[in-house]
Amino acid sequence: METHELPTALILAGGRGRRLSPLSDELPKPLLRINGRCVLQEILKNLEEQGVRRSVLLTGYKGEMIEELFGASFGRMELCYIKEKRPMGSAGCVLCAKDLVGERFFVICADAWGGRDYRGMARAHLEKGGVATLLLTQVSDPVEYGLVRTDPEGAILSFTEKPSWSTVFTDLANTGIYLMEREVLDLIPADRPFDFGKDLFPLLLQSGKKLYGYRDQRPWCDIGDLATYLHCNLRENGGKTVVEQGCTIGNALLERSLVLEGSVIGEGSVLKGSIVGKNCIVGKNCVLEQGCVLGHGCVLEDGCHLREGTVLSCGSVLTSVRASQRVTPRLTGLFEENELCIQEGQESEEFFIRLGYTLGLLAKQRGLAVMADETPSCTSYKEALLRGAGLAGYAPVDLGTGFYTMASACALQGGYFVTILVTVQKTGGLRLYFLDRTGLAAGAELIRRVRDAFGNSVLCGRVCAPLRFASRSRMQYEEILFHGVSLIGLTVGMATGTPAADFLKKGLEQYGARVVKEGDARLILTLSPDGRRAALQEGAHRLDFWHLCALHLGADLRSGQPVHALPHRAPKVLFDMAKRYGSHPKGYALCPGASEDGETRWQGAQLRYVHDGCFSAVRALSLMASRGLNCADLERLLPPFSVSEQGMDCEKEEKLALLLASHGEPGGEGVLVAVQNGYLRIRAKGGRGLSLMAEAAREQDAEELLRHWRKDLLSKKSQVRE
């Protein structure tokens, strides 16, 4: 291949662009503008200048607008058009252009901004000799992209499709630009949707084909959603507000905002990080808080105040009175992994009804269940969620009041598509936990679907009353914890006052144990408020949560029960124990990305003691009661190991830099650093900060390892800030 004339380019320009709604409601995503310039026009210009002589545009949504605008050619480059009849995925749609490409071809997603070095990419592709070369770039927000791991020569080792923060291990992202050999088309099925990142590339690696990454240092900007679209516009304008032609701006304050052509901003108005669509009128003394978006043709009368994250559909007309009644914040920026964090003052019945409706539409017959803690506000908002879900036409399930591990157990028993637990945050406001059918944290893919669908549907439909399973939930959980258990003869000291501790105390007493205050017993049980972590201590002998897990794992293995899956973040000693008994468990993420193996998580969820401190503590106490053992006896059943865990506060940009600076190997969740006397796992949290977990044979070694690495990371944090 002579690189002065490059292969045909297939341009994927058919997406609906729902995450860019309402801006994409009247215009296909590739025709949006960045700092006044059309995205698709810049892509075509870049290709033509680099030497591509034919481009095939694969269109879908409003494809006729694209064909009408560009016609049959662009400069010296021929343009062809194929309209997709039904969505077939990013890889599936290229099959319809099979007859228009030669021995190799480019694939280019039309939702990114920035000129690319296609000539350099073509040279690298020929030199390496792989079946595909992927253009890669470094990103600051890796959870929105497919991540790629390469060796020093650029050969691709693995993919992680749109990870959660806890599974991030690199900042090297797939840009959606590929150079491929024709032979890869033979692996794409014609009868079902098929994606590049999720399906084709992993399949190529599994079949032994060579894929390479090509790093392009030129600026690249994704425009997949409203936030990135605004960011890209601002970046192209030096960080300053972008005002397109034909706008009339009064004496107003516009902070890092975007105002599209023909719009009017009245005197005294304030825009903060907002987008105003085409031909909008914003009256005098209006306020648009951070992240507000007005669709094309909106009218805000004088004095309207839109809360943070408000999105108005095209043609909306608001008076100052109605504005406060109609706005509903978006979910963008409110999620921390599988947890939806709603700050004090943002809660409203309307918000929860709409969220319930969104969840009901996604869940349908597969089931939606809701539980709340015992505070009146949470039970009230639980009812709003149930009402909203009922509007979607399917009966949701009311699990009553409870706590995390109870909700998790009910989610697994019921097999619900999604289970929501509504709780109060310590800092005020509410925190909603999203659990999937395994009872584990819902994955990044489900969270994205909820986030993208929220607010895009009109509430309508017949109302279905919820199924009330409150008493059944508590009985189910009690059965799970205490089935076959006898605790007669045990005296246990424990603190009460939380729903989890109070529930557990009642059950312990019902099944024969005497429960007293912590200071009145030698055997002490400690339990986290959510029930997820437990520990037993008797004098100098302490079994923390991971030791209790190892105790139960050892019992399963000795009884001949195979162990198929363990959480990535479990101590390495648990994996080693399983291997000694002939089991080779797969690892899984507790907060998974889009490419997580669902079957592995399902198998892992069956080991209740790995996720439930209440369950683990009861099983250990039952063993002690039935065999007359104490904590020292239980310790002797375990291999010597110690785990020390601690969090470290830092900003989002800092946590990514610190994660990369550790030079650890990908460990399923975060990175794993092997040292002479142990291991350290560094994992990014969903919100702020990092989680550090040190493992060694001796307690003092684990604590020293944690201290050393925390000090080292704090030093690197200072360097990052400088």
Side-chain angles (χ1 to χ4, degrees):
M1 177 183 70
E2 295 294 331
T3 55
H4 64 271
E5 183 171 320
L6 297 182
T8 294
L10 305 183
I11 302 175
L12 310 187
R16 172 64 177 82
R18 294 187 187 279
R19 291 188 295 155
L20 284 161
S21 178
L23 301 183
S24 61
D25 290 352
E26 299 180 359
L27 200 68
K29 179 166 59 172
L31 297 189
L32 293 176
R33 293 195 296 266
I34 300 294
N35 201 17
R37 293 177 289 167
C38 171
V39 171
L40 182 54
Q41 183 172 338
E42 291 298 307
I43 291 173
L44 295 174
K45 179 181 177 183
N46 185 200
L47 289 168
E48 195 265 348
E49 290 175 348
Q50 291 269 315
V52 173
R53 292 295 170 258
R54 176 196 274 177
S55 285
V56 181
L57 288 93
L58 306 175
T59 65
Y61 173 71
K62 296 187 181 294
E64 63 282 356
M65 295 180 68
I66 295 174
E67 188 168 355
E68 182 180 340
L69 179 63
F70 292 107
S73 64
F74 188 95
R76 295 171 294 169
M77 183 167 62
E78 176 192 358
L79 299 182
C80 305
Y81 300 87
I82 299 177
K83 188 163 185 178
E84 195 176 21
K85 294 179 180 179
R86 63 187 180 98
M88 292 298 289
S90 58
C93 70
V94 304
L95 277 184
C96 58
K98 190 174 184 177
D99 296 335
L100 296 177
V101 301
E103 59 180 329
R104 58 187 61 89
F105 56 93
F106 284 104
V107 175
I108 298 162
C109 294
D111 59 357
W113 178 264
R116 307 263 58 91
D117 180 14
Y118 294 110
R119 288 187 179 278
M121 187 178 180
R123 285 193 296 270
H125 180 77
L126 288 179
E127 290 169 4
K128 299 292 186 180
V131 297
T133 298
L134 285 64
L135 195 145
L136 308 177
T137 192
Q138 291 177 296
V139 294
S140 59
D141 190 5
V143 296
E144 294 300 327
Y145 307 98
L147 300 186
V148 180
R149 182 186 174 209
T150 65
D151 70 10
E153 302 301 316
I156 292 175
L157 302 176
S158 64
F159 294 91
T160 301
E161 190 65 16
K162 294 187 176 178
S164 61
W165 263 111
S166 68
T167 57
V168 167
F169 59 89
T170 181
D171 63 349
L172 199 58
N174 173 8
T175 64
I177 298 174
Y178 320 121
L179 181 52
M180 317 185 83
E181 296 296 305
R182 183 182 178 87
E183 65 183 87
V184 305
L185 295 175
D186 296 333
L187 295 175
I188 301 174
D191 59 347
R192 59 188 174 89
F194 207 68
D195 286 317
F196 283 113
K198 193 163 55 175
D199 301 310
L200 180 61
F201 294 147
L203 180 61
L204 288 169
L205 285 182
Q206 290 168 13
S207 61
K209 303 292 185 181
K210 286 290 186 180
L211 284 72
Y212 288 91
Y214 176 73
R215 300 197 191 194
D216 191 344
Q217 303 302 323
R218 299 185 185 191
W220 176 85
C221 189
D222 171 56
I223 57 165
D225 59 30
L226 293 167
T228 55
Y229 179 64
L230 174 60
H231 168 76
C232 195
N233 270 278
L234 296 177
R235 195 186 72 176
E236 288 297 301
N237 198 39
K240 300 177 182 177
T241 290
V242 176
V243 178
E244 290 191 347
Q245 295 181 349
C247 294
T248 302
I249 310 296
N251 185 19
L253 177 62
L254 278 58
E255 297 181 356
R256 296 181 60 80
S257 295
L258 168 63
V259 183
L260 300 183
E261 64 177 332
S263 290
V264 176
I265 310 296
E267 297 281 334
S269 289
V270 177
L271 278 64
K272 298 181 179 180
S274 296
I275 300 175
V276 176
K278 295 188 297 183
N279 302 316
C280 291
I281 299 175
V282 177
K284 298 178 181 179
N285 302 314
C286 292
V287 176
L288 277 66
E289 295 184 8
Q290 186 70 34
C292 289
V293 180
L294 306 188
H296 308 304
C298 287
V299 177
L300 302 188
E301 296 188 2
D302 295 350
C304 284
H305 187 141
L306 302 189
R307 295 183 311 209
E308 180 177 349
T310 298
V311 179
L312 297 183
S313 57
C314 296
S316 296
V317 178
L318 296 186
T319 67
S320 58
V321 175
R322 293 171 60 208
S324 61
Q325 298 172 345
R326 285 190 53 179
V327 293
T328 301
R330 290 179 292 148
L331 300 185
T332 303
L334 299 183
F335 275 105
E336 296 179 3
E337 302 284 59
N338 72 313
E339 303 167 17
L340 179 61
C341 304
I342 305 171
Q343 300 305 315
E344 200 164 6
Q346 290 183 326
E347 319 100 315
S348 71
E349 185 178 51
E350 177 195 354
F351 175 91
F352 280 89
I353 290 174
R354 184 170 291 278
L355 178 59
Y357 182 68
T358 301
L359 292 167
L361 289 177
L362 292 174
K364 298 182 180 178
Q365 298 100 327
R366 292 172 292 181
L368 166 67
V370 187
M371 180 180 285
D373 70 22
E374 296 175 352
T375 57
S377 61
C378 287
T379 53
S380 173
Y381 288 129
K382 179 196 70 173
E383 291 300 317
L385 279 171
L386 293 169
R387 284 201 301 277
L391 282 170
Y394 303 96
V397 176
D398 175 14
L399 296 176
T401 59
F403 45 93
Y404 190 97
T405 52
M406 183 185 290
S408 171
C410 291
L412 178 61
Q413 289 287 104
Y416 307 116
F417 175 73
V418 63
T419 298
I420 308 297
L421 173 65
V422 186
T423 68
V424 173
Q425 296 190 91
K426 291 181 181 178
T427 55
L430 301 174
R431 184 175 293 262
L432 277 63
Y433 294 90
F434 285 62
L435 308 174
D436 66 16
R437 69 186 184 95
T438 68
L440 304 179
E445 184 66 23
L446 174 59
I447 299 303
R448 284 189 182 88
R449 290 178 64 190
V450 174
R451 183 192 66 189
D452 296 344
F454 182 75
N456 287 337
S457 304
V458 178
L459 275 67
C460 62
R462 62 188 180 89
V463 180
C464 288
L467 305 173
R468 303 289 183 179
F469 286 178
S471 58
R472 183 188 301 184
S473 301
R474 303 184 83 82
M475 288 190 295
Q476 269 186 345
Y477 192 47
E478 181 182 322
E479 174 67 14
I480 290 169
L481 292 185
F482 295 102
H483 178 73
V485 166
S486 175
L487 304 174
I488 295 172
L490 280 186
T491 298
V492 181
M494 66 178 294
T496 55
T498 66
D502 293 344
F503 182 87
L504 187 58
K505 175 180 181 292
K506 181 179 178 181
L508 293 175
E509 291 175 333
Q510 184 177 338
Y511 286 84
R514 178 170 171 259
V515 182
V516 297
K517 294 180 180 179
E518 285 183 296
D520 296 338
R522 179 170 173 78
L523 177 60
I524 306 299
L525 166 61
T526 56
L527 186 69
S528 63
D530 58 11
R532 283 194 271 184
R533 289 291 183 102
L536 294 175
Q537 183 160 356
E538 200 169 14
H541 302 281
R542 176 178 169 82
L543 297 171
D544 66 14
F545 175 73
W546 289 118
H547 284 93
L548 292 176
C549 289
L551 178 72
H552 305 313
L553 178 67
D556 285 349
L557 293 167
R558 286 190 294 272
S559 69
Q561 180 177 328
V563 175
H564 298 292
L566 288 169
H568 284 301
R569 66 179 72 170
K572 185 176 179 295
V573 69
L574 269 64
F575 286 87
D576 293 340
M577 287 173 62
K579 290 174 184 177
R580 282 199 296 272
Y581 282 87
S583 287
H584 296 277
K586 293 182 179 180
Y588 62 92
L590 292 181
C591 294
S595 54
E596 183 75 19
D597 181 359
E599 181 60 29
T600 300
R601 274 169 59 83
W602 177 260
Q603 292 171 337
Q606 311 309 311
L607 297 183
R608 192 75 215 159
Y609 51 80
V610 178
H611 311 288
D612 190 331
C614 295
F615 182 91
S616 190
V618 169
R619 284 291 179 264
L621 292 171
S622 178
L623 180 64
M624 296 171 77
S626 63
R627 298 189 184 179
L629 303 177
N630 56 32
C631 281
D633 297 324
L634 298 184
E635 272 188 335
R636 285 190 283 271
L637 297 174
L638 303 175
F641 77 97
S642 181
V643 172
S644 186
E645 300 177 83
Q646 194 171 12
M648 177 177 163
D649 185 58
C650 55
E651 300 287 349
K652 182 177 74 173
E653 296 78 9
E654 294 172 338
K655 72 181 178 184
L656 179 59
L658 294 175
L659 195 70
L660 300 176
S662 68
H663 302 295
E665 289 294 316
E669 285 191 285
V671 297
L672 201 61
V673 181
V675 295
Q676 187 175 7
N677 60 347
Y679 298 88
L680 180 83
R681 183 179 297 277
I682 306 173
R683 176 175 55 83
K685 295 181 179 180
R688 295 171 57 95
L690 297 169
S691 172
L692 311 180
M693 187 177 91
E695 177 186 355
R698 301 188 307 166
E699 183 178 359
Q700 55 266 45
D701 290 337
E703 291 178 351
E704 176 56 33
L705 180 59
L706 186 67
R707 279 195 298 269
H708 169 79
W709 273 92
R710 180 176 171 78
K711 182 179 178 181
D712 182 72
L713 290 170
L714 285 171
S715 175
K716 287 185 171 68
K717 178 180 172 181
S718 300
Q719 296 171 17
V720 169
R721 288 186 171 180
E722 292 172 2

